[in-house]
Amino acid sequence: MTETATTADMGAVEEPLDLVRLSLDERIYVKLRGDRELRGVLHGYDGHLNMVLGDVEEIITIVDINEETYEEVIRTVVRNFDMLFVRGDGVILASPPSRT
């Protein structure tokens, strides 16, 4: 098997957004600004990394300071959405599903 055949089998990942393209209709992980994380099925995207996700779980991490003890209190809020539009300028990381 040649190197060219191996690249073709992978779906030809030549540019960064090719990896996102290969994740269409699969569950992905997205890290956003503001300590937010999303897990959902990627239905569409564009060159700005605007995305449409379905069956989405949003995890928001909130860090508060206890005024009496000055200790950090970390809590998470989990929300679920049937469909969500994600604006690309808030995306820090988009991870495709693991391929074994």
Side-chain angles (χ1 to χ4, degrees), residues 5-73:
T6 304
T7 303
D9 293 343
M10 289 178 41
V13 177
E14 297 175 4
E15 298 180 10
L17 287 181
D18 289 343
L19 199 57
V20 177
R21 176 181 50 84
L22 292 173
S23 300
L24 281 170
D25 297 321
E26 294 190 40
R27 196 156 187 81
I28 66 168
Y29 168 80
V30 181
K31 184 168 178 66
L32 300 171
R33 294 180 186 180
D35 293 325
R36 294 173 184 259
E37 302 173 11
L38 302 172
R39 285 183 178 81
V41 178
L42 179 65
H43 292 290
Y45 71 97
D46 66 12
H48 300 285
L49 220 52
N50 294 321
M51 292 183 255
V52 176
L53 300 175
D55 188 26
V56 183
E57 177 185 62
E58 177 185 34
I59 302 168
I60 306 167
T61 303
I62 302 168
V63 179
D64 291 324
I65 304 286
N66 184 320
E67 293 181 13
E68 295 175 4
T69 62
Y70 297 105
E71 292 181 1
E72 287 186 348
V73 177

Side-chain angles (χ1 to χ4, degrees), residues 68-81:
E68 295 175 4
T69 62
Y70 297 105
E71 292 181 1
E72 287 186 348
V73 177
I74 300 172
R75 60 189 175 100
T76 58
V77 177
V78 178
R79 302 189 309 175
N80 293 293
F81 302 94

